[in-house]
């Protein structure tokens, strides 16, 4: 085995360790809170020495920063792309489209992203960076997405001429509350069937508001 092969394997192992640290940290931070988890606890859960963890992250705060950046990069992938929405517009009614967006999240969102979402929700009260991510990528960016969807529907004559921004913002805020209950249900703290039913009722309510 030549030096090049050893270097490749070393880099691969390093990437795997980084991903493992992020995955474990996300789970711990989501369950116990960022302040309730020590660097030693993370390293122990990963199965490495604490000193080895510092080869990849300067400190615990750097791990949180990396998790926030991962959310910024990957969260939009948990919703259908604009191109996929355009296809849906040709074969589905508004209620079906919104339901597909909802279930797309359920089937495409990774566990680590769900954990990071819980971390952001908890840490936005304590961390300026978490608060920035919350407002930009949990509140505003999804509202922009729903606004585009509503405008597309109006442009196709599927709904009436409505205040797309207001409806998008209000729908997103309700969705945020229901998403928190969805996370609770996944952890056995709420009834999943009831949460999903209410999500669907919410979609039907907003789509009725947009009727011609």
């Amino acid at each position: 085995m030549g030096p090049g092969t050893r270097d490749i394997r070393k880099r691969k192992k390093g990437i795997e360790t980084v991903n493992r640290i992020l995955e474990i940290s996300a789970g711990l931070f989501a369950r116990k809170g960022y302040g309730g988890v020590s660097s030693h606890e993370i390293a122990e859960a990963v199965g490495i020495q604490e000193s080895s963890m510092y080869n990849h992250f300067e400190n615990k705060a750097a791990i949180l920063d990396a998790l926030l950046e991962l959310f910024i990069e990957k969260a939009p992938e948990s919703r259908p792309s604009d191109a996929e929405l355009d296809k849906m517009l040709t074969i589905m009614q508004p209620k079906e489209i919104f339901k597909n967006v909802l279930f797309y999240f359920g089937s495409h969102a990774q566990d680590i992203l769900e954990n990071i979402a819980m971390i952001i929700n908890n840490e936005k009260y304590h961390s300026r960076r978490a608060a920035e991510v919350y407002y930009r990528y949990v509140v505003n960016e999804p509202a922009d997405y729903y606004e585009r969807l509503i405008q597309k529907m109006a442009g196709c004559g599927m709904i009436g001429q409505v205040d797309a921004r207001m409806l998008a913002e209000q729908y997103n805020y309700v969705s945020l509350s229901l998403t928190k209950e969805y996370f609770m249900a996944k952890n056995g703290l709420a009834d999943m069937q009831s949460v999903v039913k209410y999500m669907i009722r919410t979609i039907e309510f907003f789509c009725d508001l947009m009727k011609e």
Side-chain angles (χ1 to χ4, degrees):
M1 181 172 62
T5 301
R6 286 195 295 270
D7 289 342
I8 291 172
R9 289 187 175 180
K10 184 177 180 180
R11 285 196 296 272
K12 183 179 179 181
K13 185 176 180 181
I15 293 171
E16 290 173 349
T17 301
V18 166
N19 290 338
R20 182 71 174 154
I21 292 170
L22 291 175
E23 182 180 357
I24 292 294
S25 298
L28 289 172
F29 293 163
R31 291 194 306 273
K32 304 176 69 172
Y34 174 76
V37 180
S38 67
S39 296
H40 176 76
E41 185 176 358
I42 296 170
E44 186 175 47
V46 174
I48 60 176
Q49 295 294 321
E50 186 174 349
S51 58
S52 298
M53 191 168 70
Y54 295 133
N55 292 329
H56 305 284
F57 295 97
E58 182 179 357
N59 49 38
K60 190 176 72 166
I63 297 175
L64 178 60
D65 287 340
L67 290 172
L68 296 177
E69 291 300 321
L70 182 62
F71 184 86
I72 291 170
E73 177 188 355
K74 297 295 185 181
E77 297 176 6
S78 64
R79 297 189 299 268
S81 66
D82 280 25
E84 289 173 307
L85 289 180
D86 290 338
K87 292 180 182 178
M88 292 182 194
L89 288 167
T90 65
I91 58 175
M92 297 179 185
Q93 294 301 308
K95 290 180 183 180
E96 294 176 298
I97 295 173
F98 273 94
K99 288 176 185 177
N100 268 270
V101 173
L102 172 64
F103 293 125
Y104 193 100
F105 171 82
S107 61
H108 286 74
Q110 303 170 10
D111 287 344
I112 188 171
L113 290 183
E114 294 184 0
N115 283 332
I116 298 172
M118 286 190 278
I119 295 166
I120 293 169
N121 182 64
N122 294 332
E123 295 305 316
K124 69 180 184 289
Y125 302 106
H126 314 289
S127 163
R128 182 176 297 276
R129 178 57 176 156
E132 291 172 352
V133 172
Y134 174 78
Y135 281 112
R136 184 169 180 181
Y137 296 100
V138 178
V139 175
N140 293 325
E141 192 272 335
D144 292 342
Y145 177 88
Y146 291 122
E147 181 181 15
R148 291 196 305 274
L149 173 56
I150 294 169
Q151 288 173 338
K152 287 174 183 285
M153 290 178 175
C156 294
M158 299 173 68
I159 60 173
Q161 294 301 315
V162 298
D163 186 336
R165 186 64 194 182
M166 177 60 74
L167 282 169
E169 289 177 345
Q170 295 305 310
Y171 176 75
N172 187 54
Y173 271 119
V174 175
S175 294
L176 287 179
S177 295
L178 291 173
T179 299
K180 294 172 188 176
E181 292 186 17
Y182 169 78
F183 292 151
M184 291 171 62
K186 286 197 69 173
N187 287 283
L189 301 173
D191 179 64
M192 181 64 78
Q193 187 175 9
S194 297
V195 173
V196 173
K197 281 184 178 180
Y198 200 86
M199 286 177 167
I200 293 173
R201 285 177 59 195
T202 298
I203 287 172
E204 292 173 345
F205 172 79
F206 275 91
C207 286
D208 286 342
L209 289 178
M210 295 185 287
K211 284 182 178 178
E212 292 185 84

